[in-house]
Amino acid sequence: KQLVGYVILRRGEDVFNYRRVRGGGETRLTGLRSLGLGGHLNLGDVTDRVDRPSLERSISRELQEEAILTELPELRYVGILNDDRTDVSQVHLGVVVVINLDSTNVSLRDPTLDDGRFDRIAELSRRRNEFEDWSKHCLSWLGGEGGVARHQC
């Protein structure tokens, strides 16, 4: 599986989300909304082995490619996404990271991502059918629906 940093931007009860449009890297997700910014760990991110600094280089690179943040993010590792129920998930392993922000001053840089905004977790949960599967898993966790999801993000 390809290792993917999956970064959730959060400010209190608000979470950043966006829609994937045509021309993006993963065509199977076109038209769906997502909570996660980030992408594949590339060979250039790795020195001699895949480790935490490699992942942090990947996350930093992907965030710079996809979004404009006015704050230096502090990464908080919160979980792993490993779900083989879809074609996309069968070839990806997600490392979920939450960044708690002081402001909602975030904009999208990547032209294949659109309609980026912060919404309340409860509102996103009501609209969960608009989201790709990894976001649905994270919404359950953020919203406290069962299992380990009860732990605060």
Side-chain angles (χ1 to χ4, degrees):
K1 289 190 173 190
Q2 295 175 306
L3 194 58
V4 173
Y6 194 80
V7 181
I8 297 172
L9 304 178
R10 183 173 182 173
R11 182 175 185 270
E13 290 299 309
D14 294 332
V15 174
F16 188 75
N17 64 104
Y18 62 91
R19 185 178 57 247
R20 297 173 184 271
V21 296
R22 290 196 192 283
E26 185 51 77
T27 58
R28 295 171 286 193
L29 301 178
T30 298
L32 296 174
R33 295 196 73 80
S34 181
L35 301 181
L37 292 167
H40 297 111
L41 178 77
N42 292 340
L43 190 55
D45 301 318
V46 179
T47 51
D48 58 334
R49 66 178 185 270
V50 175
D51 54 9
R52 186 176 181 150
S54 301
L55 187 57
E56 289 177 357
R57 280 189 290 277
S58 172
I59 289 169
S60 176
R61 177 183 48 75
E62 288 285 348
L63 283 176
Q64 288 177 17
E65 291 173 5
E66 295 181 354
I68 300 169
L69 301 174
T70 58
E71 301 175 46
L72 291 174
E74 180 181 331
L75 308 180
R76 199 167 125 228
Y77 295 88
V78 296
I80 300 291
L81 284 166
N82 186 22
D83 178 6
D84 291 334
R85 291 180 286 178
T86 68
D87 291 343
V88 175
S89 294
Q90 288 174 4
V91 296
H92 295 98
L93 178 69
V95 177
V96 184
V97 174
V98 170
I99 297 175
N100 290 304
L101 300 172
D102 292 328
S103 82
T104 58
N105 192 7
V106 175
S107 57
L108 293 169
R109 184 186 316 261
D110 185 331
T112 67
L113 308 179
D114 187 39
D115 193 27
R117 63 182 193 245
F118 281 86
D119 289 307
R120 299 296 241 186
I121 295 168
E123 170 62 22
L124 296 173
S125 293
R126 283 191 289 276
R127 297 178 15 233
R128 70 184 295 115
N129 289 336
E130 299 174 24
F131 288 85
E132 42 85 7
D133 284 342
W134 280 11
S135 290
K136 289 177 184 176
H137 292 308
C138 290
L139 278 171
S140 295
W141 180 68
L142 287 164
E145 299 172 20
V148 297
R150 290 192 175 101
H151 299 291
Q152 186 171 354
C153 168

